[in-house]
Amino acid sequence: MTPFGGVSEENVRKHPTDIKEDRGCCDLQERMNDDGALIIDGPTGKFCASGFRLAYGGAASSIGGGLGSAASQECARKAGAFVIQVSPDGAIKLFAGGAAPVQLKHDTSLLPPQIRKRYPVSLKPCSRRGGDDYFFGREAPLEQLLQWVGGDGPKGEGGGGLGPVGEKGTGRGGLPTEAPTLEPFILISGIGGVGKSQLAAEVLHRCEIPRTKIWINASSPERLQRELAELWEDFREAGIPVRSRKELRRWLEGNKKWLMVVDNLEDPELLWNFVPRSHKCLVMITTRDDSSSMFPPPKLLKLDILERPSAESLLQTLGRQKDEEGSARLAEALGCLPLALVMASSLVAEKKGLLSFSVLADRVAAE
């Protein structure tokens, strides 16, 4: 056996080919003739036990899921394959030629408790219908975070991420793609408005591994107390007997399938009032402070402003104007800060052609 299944290592084709392209489809059909079957890893979309790996950078499956579902549906459509996908939560999806894909019922008792989503909505809101992705310029940090969380890089929607990692042990943006290991604490730092909270929210939305997903705003002791009170209510509705910080700590210590985001944490000492220092899952923290004085020390990810091309794409897409010169000027005037770019593009879109990027850039420069 090899990491790719029951084939010899030297027979594995190292360079992926997109299965949407003719060459990728031919490779797929040739290998099916050789082996007679395909095994596709549901969370990652990797083809196993069939002697090859193919890339897939298309839209999500019509019935949702990560990259594995999307790749399975494409294989069935282009190569006439019969594909069975089994997800970590026990869900089974069938893809057969040109027939509509089917998702079978699964045992929900295998899932960890699910509570109310109190985190920001995903910027790929129509993911399960193959919609656009408005999360601009953050593919590399998103991929890295999903690996740290315990996935295998972004995998499209419904929970995974954005696409395949690169060759020679690097992912998008040159980030390392070492074997995923569970990190107990991750610290996302950066200036205000750089997109820390949205990045953390996207990880919750796109993480395909079944988890109880918890979001807590800890910007002040008062806000934290309100958030915890709401969390007790969410837990009560899910049948979890948690009514205090001590009981929350005990529940976190005794469970292995949860993922928590503590947003806007300015005082690290507040964390230990409700989170155990030793646990088996993950706490992701967003903060403006990157001094990393926490113990145990967290994994660090510092978020910077957007690169110019991504900032311009954001403005043109959300502002609904294909003005390259004007968007370049406005992006520079706003310092490529994501929050400012989103607000500016929303204003331009609301004016419906009565306000251009260039005019808004002049106003910003004059202030």
Side-chain angles (χ1 to χ4, degrees), residues 9-289:
E9 190 78 27
E10 61 269 18
N11 291 332
V12 176
R13 300 177 185 179
K14 301 292 186 180
H15 303 287
T17 305
D18 196 327
I19 60 177
K20 299 189 306 304
E21 300 175 358
D22 291 339
R23 178 60 183 171
C25 184
C26 289
D27 285 349
L28 175 63
Q29 290 174 322
E30 289 175 4
R31 186 56 59 175
M32 283 182 61
N33 291 336
D34 292 342
D35 296 331
L38 292 173
I39 299 176
I40 301 179
D41 183 61
T44 66
K46 292 178 181 176
F47 294 75
C48 308
S50 298
F52 73 107
R53 294 175 64 187
L54 296 179
Y56 179 75
S61 167
S62 60
I63 59 173
L67 182 64
S69 296
S72 299
Q73 185 170 347
E74 189 71 15
C75 285
R77 186 183 69 83
K78 294 205 70 174
F82 181 80
V83 183
I84 301 176
Q85 180 195 347
V86 181
S87 299
D89 60 2
I92 299 175
K93 298 176 183 177
L94 303 181
F95 305 86
V102 176
Q103 178 165 352
L104 302 183
K105 293 182 179 180
H106 59 283
D107 187 358
T108 56
S109 66
L110 298 175
L111 292 172
Q114 302 300 299
I115 63 174
R116 187 180 309 174
K117 293 181 180 179
R118 296 189 180 274
Y119 40 95
V121 298
S122 174
L123 293 182
K124 194 172 183 183
C126 299
S127 59
R128 293 186 180 275
R129 298 189 298 276
D132 295 327
D133 192 343
Y134 297 121
F135 193 51
F136 291 90
R138 298 302 192 199
E139 290 89 352
L142 179 60
E143 180 173 345
Q144 181 67 89
L145 286 170
L146 285 169
Q147 289 175 347
W148 287 347
V149 164
D152 194 15
K155 313 169 189 77
E157 271 328 289
L162 299 173
V165 297
E167 299 175 38
K168 298 183 180 179
T170 60
R172 292 180 179 173
L175 289 172
T177 59
E178 63 263 358
T181 57
L182 190 62
E183 303 294 340
F185 294 97
I186 295 174
L187 189 70
I188 305 173
S189 67
I191 62 175
V194 80
K196 303 181 295 295
S197 299
Q198 189 63 51
L199 176 60
E202 293 297 330
V203 172
L204 293 187
H205 284 291
R206 305 188 192 211
C207 175
E208 195 170 60
I209 303 172
R211 292 285 185 267
T212 300
K213 297 174 180 178
I214 305 168
W215 181 280
I216 296 175
N217 188 321
S219 56
S220 69
E222 295 75 20
R223 179 62 183 269
L224 175 61
Q225 183 56 43
R226 293 197 302 271
E227 293 277 313
L228 290 175
E230 293 175 352
L231 182 61
W232 310 153
E233 180 63 22
D234 294 342
F235 272 36
R236 186 191 65 79
E237 293 177 358
I240 305 173
V242 170
R243 297 174 297 276
S244 67
R245 300 188 186 203
K246 182 178 180 179
E247 290 179 349
L248 176 60
R249 286 170 54 91
R250 186 183 304 120
W251 187 87
L252 295 175
E253 287 176 328
N255 287 271
K256 300 179 180 179
K257 294 183 178 181
W258 54 268
L259 173 59
M260 176 185 289
V261 172
V262 181
D263 192 35
N264 293 317
L265 181 67
E266 299 304 325
D267 182 3
E269 290 305 312
L270 290 176
L271 188 66
W272 313 124
N273 291 333
F274 60 95
V275 174
R277 293 181 187 266
S278 177
H279 55 78
K280 302 180 181 67
C281 291
L282 183 141
V283 178
M284 193 159 36
I285 302 162
T286 71
T287 180
R288 300 186 186 188
D289 181 14

Side-chain angles (χ1 to χ4, degrees), residues 301-321:
L301 191 150
K302 185 164 184 173
L303 206 57
D304 205 347
I305 59 174
L306 287 179
E307 295 183 357
R308 178 69 67 81
S310 296
E312 294 175 17
S313 295
L314 188 156
L315 285 171
Q316 293 178 36
T317 303
L318 300 185
R320 301 171 188 171
Q321 287 189 16

